[in-house]
Amino acid sequence: MSEIKQKSVEVFLDELASRQATPGGGSAAAVMGAQAAALISMVCNLTIGKPKYAEVEEDMQALLKQSEALREQLIAMIKADVDVFDKLMACYGLPKNTDEEKSTRSRQIQSVLKEATIVPLECAKACALSIKLSRIAAEKGNINVISDAGVAVMAGYSGLKSAALNVYINAGSIKDRTFADEKIIELEQLLGGADIETEEIYQLVKEKL
Amino acid sequence: MSEIKQKSVEVFLDELASRQATPGGGSAAAVMGAQAAALISMVCNLTIGKPKYAEVEEDMQALLKQSEALREQLIAMIKADVDVFDKLMACYGLPKNTDEEKSTRSRQIQSVLKEATIVPLECAKACALSIKLSRIAAEKGNINVISDAGVAVMAGYSGLKSAALNVYINAGSIKDRTFADEKIIELEQLLGGADIETEEIYQLVKEKL
């Protein structure tokens, strides 16, 4: 089966809508984050090389490197979400007839639940970074495409809040509470202030329109 | 050239990131809205037919019809945004050597600016509706996929706020202020309370996780 990124936008949406468990919200979050990164790159690409923006040329070159690296990461996360979900479902399907089987199954579920917490946490981190990068695009980018920086910040924000839900779900089932609590704290550090930051950047863009 | 919806997710993101003017934030907004609609459908598809959810069967069937119609509309908007932008650019490229040419060019720009305001306004309306439909999915959907209703509301919200930016830009250049102000009022009715509504639905989902 081909990877989601190779499927058409229409087929991706069909599969998202279907009764198949994957792709689901985790992949959608990564796609939103990747749209944020792509739009930041677009603003950079339409600013770089323009004499009017010579003063911010270096900043835009540096921003483009970051946004393109981020886009690559987020595209990889579309698949990572599906893979870890499938792995978790496979664990839930393990036999549980004997005590030994039960114990093996439980150990494996617990191990994969940790992965299934880290995957959306990494997506949340990448989306949170896209919010920060959107600010640079909004502050320094070509005024003619500044609205794209505003769309970027919204896409990054919704990607962050969406990925967060998957962190909460999976962390909630982890028995190793030290691990789980640590991940929740990391997540809440990303979420803290994201609302205000997103609104600030959005308003900055709106004022420039 | 094939339509965006027929391109792979990866190619769509490449084109979004590129120095081409389209696709840009307007298409990204429609994709976010379409993801919202698709995820609502997913929640419906994974609730319908389950004995445990027999009580909400009819509600879910009705919701699915609405979310699928909405998804179709939003997918069409990915292309509509590109088309109207190209049309506007073509108008700006019209000759302006004589007074007659100037006047024709200006008239045509003004006419297309109205279309270019209506297209994102329709996208904003569809996204606003996706927020309302997300609430039903969050309230009545299968608890095992309730996080997808949370991702849906975030995607719809970011689609709404993103489309709004394009309404503001294009309405701002319209000389017929009665028309423009009417569209801005319509938009602001959609935006008013969307923040609070989105947060309410998101919290409802979070509490159910």
Side-chain angles (χ1 to χ4, degrees):
Chain A
M1 207 173 71
S2 63
E3 255 190 69
I4 294 172
K5 68 176 181 184
Q6 292 158 335
K7 291 180 183 174
S8 74
V9 170
E10 202 170 26
V11 167
F12 164 63
L13 291 166
D14 281 343
E15 293 190 357
L16 204 56
S18 80
R19 69 183 66 233
Q20 291 169 251
T22 57
S27 294
V31 169
M32 288 189 266
Q35 283 184 274
L39 286 163
I40 297 163
S41 297
M42 180 189 179
V43 175
C44 292
N45 280 322
L46 286 162
T47 307
I48 291 168
K50 304 236 186 257
K52 193 178 163 193
Y53 294 95
E55 220 173 87
V56 296
E57 175 85 17
E58 272 182 44
D59 295 333
M60 288 288 115
Q61 293 278 10
L63 180 60
L64 180 60
K65 264 189 198 153
Q66 284 187 280
S67 59
E68 285 298 275
L70 196 61
R71 182 157 73 98
E72 200 178 317
Q73 270 180 48
L74 281 155
I75 288 175
M77 286 171 185
I78 304 171
K79 182 176 184 298
D81 184 82
V82 172
D83 289 347
V84 79
F85 184 89
D86 290 346
K87 208 166 157 185
L88 193 57
M89 286 306 106
C91 288
Y92 280 112
L94 287 173
K96 46 178 177 175
N97 302 313
T98 65
D99 282 352
E100 207 193 319
E101 280 178 355
K102 276 181 200 164
S103 143
T104 304
R105 177 175 174 274
S106 168
R107 233 182 5 256
Q108 294 208 17
I109 289 172
Q110 285 299 317
S111 162
V112 178
L113 273 173
K114 288 187 178 180
E115 279 181 61
T117 301
I118 292 169
V119 166
L121 181 59
E122 291 301 312
C123 181
K125 273 185 205 167
C127 289
L129 179 56
S130 79
I131 296 175
K132 302 214 175 295
L133 300 186
S134 298
R135 186 191 288 274
I136 307 173
E139 283 174 348
K140 303 186 175 174
N142 183 339
I143 191 83
N144 294 332
V145 288
I146 211 68
S147 68
D148 296 300
V151 177
V153 75
M154 290 314 305
Y157 176 67
S158 57
L160 166 60
K161 297 269 285 188
S162 298
L165 294 173
N166 284 335
V167 176
Y168 284 123
I169 297 172
N170 295 323
S173 305
I174 291 174
K175 288 180 187 158
D176 176 353
R177 293 317 300 166
T178 308
F179 175 93
D181 291 344
E182 197 186 286
K183 298 305 163 196
I184 295 288
I185 289 169
E186 269 190 69
L187 175 68
E188 296 194 334
Q189 279 168 347
L190 298 171
L191 289 169
D195 294 45
I196 294 170
E197 194 173 11
T198 298
E199 193 54 27
E200 268 178 24
I201 300 166
Y202 187 84
Q203 287 305 328
L204 171 68
V205 168
K206 216 186 129 192
E207 280 157 26
K208 284 190 170 189
L209 293 182
Chain B
M1 209 173 69
S2 62
E3 256 191 67
I4 293 171
K5 68 177 182 183
Q6 292 158 335
K7 292 181 183 174
S8 73
V9 171
E10 202 170 25
V11 167
F12 164 63
L13 291 166
D14 281 343
E15 294 190 355
L16 203 56
S18 79
R19 69 184 65 232
Q20 291 168 249
T22 57
S27 294
V31 169
M32 287 189 269
Q35 284 184 275
L39 286 163
I40 296 164
S41 297
M42 180 190 180
V43 174
C44 293
N45 281 321
L46 286 161
T47 306
I48 291 166
K50 304 233 185 258
K52 192 178 163 192
Y53 295 96
E55 218 172 272
V56 297
E57 176 84 17
E58 272 182 44
D59 296 332
M60 289 288 115
Q61 293 278 11
L63 180 60
L64 179 60
K65 264 191 198 152
Q66 285 187 279
S67 59
E68 286 298 276
L70 196 60
R71 182 157 74 98
E72 202 178 315
Q73 270 181 48
L74 282 155
I75 288 175
M77 287 172 185
I78 304 171
K79 183 174 184 297
D81 184 82
V82 172
D83 289 348
V84 79
F85 184 89
D86 290 346
K87 207 166 158 184
L88 192 57
M89 287 305 107
C91 289
Y92 280 112
L94 287 173
K96 46 176 178 174
N97 302 312
T98 66
D99 281 352
E100 207 194 319
E101 280 178 355
K102 276 181 200 164
S103 142
T104 304
R105 178 177 175 272
S106 167
R107 234 183 2 259
Q108 294 209 19
I109 289 172
Q110 285 300 316
S111 161
V112 179
L113 273 172
K114 287 186 178 181
E115 280 182 61
T117 301
I118 291 168
V119 167
L121 181 59
E122 290 302 311
C123 182
K125 273 185 204 166
C127 289
L129 178 57
S130 79
I131 296 175
K132 301 215 175 295
L133 300 186
S134 298
R135 187 190 288 273
I136 308 173
E139 282 173 349
K140 303 185 178 176
N142 182 339
I143 190 83
N144 294 331
V145 288
I146 210 68
S147 68
D148 295 300
V151 177
V153 75
M154 291 313 307
Y157 175 68
S158 57
L160 166 59
K161 298 269 286 188
S162 297
L165 294 174
N166 284 336
V167 177
Y168 285 123
I169 296 173
N170 295 323
S173 305
I174 291 173
K175 287 180 188 158
D176 176 352
R177 294 316 303 165
T178 309
F179 175 93
D181 290 345
E182 198 186 285
K183 298 305 162 194
I184 295 287
I185 288 169
E186 269 190 70
L187 176 68
E188 297 193 334
Q189 279 168 347
L190 298 171
L191 289 169
D195 293 46
I196 293 169
E197 195 173 10
T198 299
E199 193 53 27
E200 267 178 26
I201 301 166
Y202 187 83
Q203 288 304 327
L204 170 68
V205 168
K206 217 186 128 191
E207 279 157 26
K208 285 189 170 190
L209 293 182

